Amino acid sequence: MPKVSNIIRSEATPDVSGRPLIQDTTWQLADGTYWSKYDLCGYIRETPWFGVYGGGFGGWIVSASREYHSAGPLKQELLVHQDSLMLNYFHSTHFGTPNLLVPPGWSKFFGPYLVYINTGSEEEVLADAANQALIEQSQWPYSWVEDEEYPLSRGSVSGRVTGQTKAMVVVYDAVEQQFDLQNLGYLFHAETNEDGTFAIENIRPGSYDVVAYPLAGHGSENLARKSITVEAGGTHNIGDLDLPEPANIIWAIGETSRRSDSYHWSDELRNYYWHLLPPANLTFEIGKSDIGNDWYYAQTKTPGIWKVTYEDERNGYGRILRVAFAAASRSASVTVAINGNDIGHFAYDNDATIYRDALQNGNFHSEVIAIPANYLADGSNTISFELLRGLIMYDAISLAVDE
């Protein structure tokens, strides 16, 4: 079965024998292109099935639920790679997830998941695997499992997000950890409907925090949270979770979603090649430049300065600059300035994402910077992002009047 599929791409892997190794499991091929096992990574909670196929057969890992996997909705993971390998990581430190350090007495139930073998043409085995995933999801939780740590009677949580109604809602029980870095417990999630309502079913009984974060707008720092108890067979309406939308926005580059998904090259298939392309220096002119062509998914070259120019006036008020980074790799360090005045310096741990083919996110960081009124100029103003070390990926940037 020489071909692999992670749903997003279904293909044969190249022969890398004798090719120069660029970094871990990443090679340059004879035609000058690159291939890496990281090309075939994906978002684990968006990938209910994946596997290998060919020669009239398919072999698949089918997961009816991802509740027991580490991290949050944007957890990326190795799924398949060369040598017809299928990888079912319950936990790993790939793409910025921390090490699993467990306290005495800790336990956790992983699975069940299905190893599924089918036969047919390539098109038939792919379609059958996708259909089998739907069948397994409809049967979750599996009634045939008898274990006190796998409850069959479960509860549901519903509510509404107000303010910025396009949001992600996360329910998780390892509340001593950050929800998107958690690895000790169970996690459930759902995107809101257009009116901000949400409902999540099949939640294991227990104590949880419910967290909402925006998937649009400019409140990148916003996080709404409530603590709840889910009972077996119970329904729990938590009411409203408020994500207030910032006022007095002057301009913005993108909208917050914890992804770089509106910028140049962010929608390409994963490959080592992309992070080599963004320029070291650029100037983005508000009102004239285009975020899809002129702002890149990541700033990757040092030394390098990306500048944003815009028109403003000194009106006695300061400004609020919101900068949300979707990822930070190789111990990224960046200095932010306005009109030559430093207004922030930020350094982050290595999430090992950008140079491993990630095009939309790694570990999220949100900064809210107060700009004094006397730093502003009448007419043209310039905000600069000087990359001193590493690689940085942008989620959204916005400037507002600070009244």
Side-chain angles (χ1 to χ4, degrees), residues 194-206:
E194 288 186 5
D195 61 356
T197 59
F198 67 90
I200 306 175
E201 299 181 346
N202 286 327
I203 299 177
R204 304 163 60 98

Side-chain angles (χ1 to χ4, degrees), residues 248-318:
N248 305 315
I249 298 294
I250 300 172
W251 55 259
I253 298 176
E255 295 189 36
T256 187
S257 65
R258 301 196 170 205
R259 294 190 182 195
S260 68
D261 53 5
S262 56
Y263 307 129
H264 199 16
W265 293 319
S266 65
D267 59 350
E268 300 289 344
L269 292 175
R270 294 172 186 254
N271 192 266
Y272 176 85
Y273 173 70
W274 300 113
H275 88 280
L276 305 176
L277 299 183
N281 303 294
L282 66 77
T283 298
F284 186 94
E285 190 172 355
I286 296 297
K288 293 185 178 180
S289 300
D290 175 69
I291 63 172
N293 294 308
D294 304 318
W295 192 264
Y296 298 82
Y297 80 99
Q299 188 175 358
T300 59
K301 292 183 174 66
T302 56
I305 301 178
W306 287 12
K307 297 179 180 179
V308 179
T309 61
Y310 69 100
E311 296 294 315
D312 206 342
E313 62 179 4
R314 302 183 69 170
N315 59 1
Y317 294 109

Side-chain angles (χ1 to χ4, degrees), residues 81-129:
H81 61 72
Q82 79 279 8
D83 303 322
S84 295
L85 289 177
M86 299 188 295
L87 308 164
N88 196 16
Y89 279 99
F90 302 145
H91 168 81
S92 82
T93 57
H94 298 133
F95 298 101
T97 304
N99 285 319
L100 180 63
L101 303 174
V102 304
W106 175 87
S107 64
K108 185 175 178 178
F109 191 100
F110 295 95
Y113 62 94
L114 172 66
V115 177
Y116 184 60
I117 309 298
N118 58 5
T119 61
S121 67
E122 292 183 356
E123 293 78 11
E124 288 171 340
V125 295
L126 287 163
D128 182 51

Side-chain angles (χ1 to χ4, degrees), residues 52-358:
V52 300
Y53 64 101
F57 295 91
W60 314 98
I61 290 177
V62 181
S63 297
S65 172
R66 298 293 191 181
E67 65 189 44
Y68 48 86
H69 288 264
S70 293
L74 294 181
K75 170 61 178 173
Q76 302 166 85
E77 192 53 89
L78 293 166
L79 302 170
V80 289
H81 61 72
Q82 79 279 8
D83 303 322
S84 295
L85 289 177
M86 299 188 295
L87 308 164
N88 196 16
Y89 279 99
F90 302 145
H91 168 81
S92 82
T93 57
H94 298 133
F95 298 101
T97 304
N99 285 319
L100 180 63
L101 303 174
V102 304
W106 175 87
S107 64
K108 185 175 178 178
F109 191 100
F110 295 95
Y113 62 94
L114 172 66
V115 177
Y116 184 60
I117 309 298
N118 58 5
T119 61
S121 67
E122 292 183 356
E123 293 78 11
E124 288 171 340
V125 295
L126 287 163
D128 182 51
N131 184 65
Q132 191 63 39
L134 296 176
I135 294 172
E136 300 304 321
Q137 290 170 337
S138 71
Q139 296 176 358
W140 187 269
Y142 293 121
S143 60
W144 45 265
V145 179
E146 296 181 6
D147 192 289
E148 62 181 11
E149 294 201 42
Y150 185 82
L152 299 180
S153 181
R154 301 188 172 203
S156 64
V157 172
S158 62
R160 182 181 65 160
V161 176
T162 58
Q164 176 50 254
T165 57
K166 186 176 182 180
M168 180 67 73
V169 179
V170 177
V171 180
Y172 78 113
D173 62 354
V175 297
E176 68 274 26
Q177 297 181 303
Q178 190 173 306
F179 76 90
D180 51 350
L181 301 178
Q182 68 83 29
N183 53 34
L184 294 175
Y186 304 94
L187 182 142
F188 309 84
H189 70 97
E191 291 189 25
T192 55
N193 301 313
E194 288 186 5
D195 61 356
T197 59
F198 67 90
I200 306 175
E201 299 181 346
N202 286 327
I203 299 177
R204 304 163 60 98
S207 298
Y208 293 88
D209 273 8
V210 182
V211 176
Y213 65 85
L215 295 178
H218 308 297
S220 51
E221 76 278 18
N222 287 343
L223 205 66
R225 182 185 298 265
K226 283 187 177 181
S227 297
I228 64 168
T229 298
V230 175
E231 298 179 351
T235 58
H236 194 115
N237 189 309
I238 66 170
D240 291 347
L241 294 166
D242 189 40
L243 295 174
E245 187 63 27
N248 305 315
I249 298 294
I250 300 172
W251 55 259
I253 298 176
E255 295 189 36
T256 187
S257 65
R258 301 196 170 205
R259 294 190 182 195
S260 68
D261 53 5
S262 56
Y263 307 129
H264 199 16
W265 293 319
S266 65
D267 59 350
E268 300 289 344
L269 292 175
R270 294 172 186 254
N271 192 266
Y272 176 85
Y273 173 70
W274 300 113
H275 88 280
L276 305 176
L277 299 183
N281 303 294
L282 66 77
T283 298
F284 186 94
E285 190 172 355
I286 296 297
K288 293 185 178 180
S289 300
D290 175 69
I291 63 172
N293 294 308
D294 304 318
W295 192 264
Y296 298 82
Y297 80 99
Q299 188 175 358
T300 59
K301 292 183 174 66
T302 56
I305 301 178
W306 287 12
K307 297 179 180 179
V308 179
T309 61
Y310 69 100
E311 296 294 315
D312 206 342
E313 62 179 4
R314 302 183 69 170
N315 59 1
Y317 294 109
R319 302 290 185 263
I320 295 294
L321 179 67
R322 289 177 170 85
V323 185
F325 298 111
S329 299
R330 290 196 171 129
S331 303
S333 174
V334 60
T335 294
V336 184
I338 182 168
N339 301 325
N341 302 290
D342 288 354
I343 53 176
H345 176 77
F346 307 101
Y348 305 106
D349 292 337
N350 180 22
D351 62 13
T353 58
I354 300 172
Y355 59 91
R356 286 179 170 169
D357 297 9

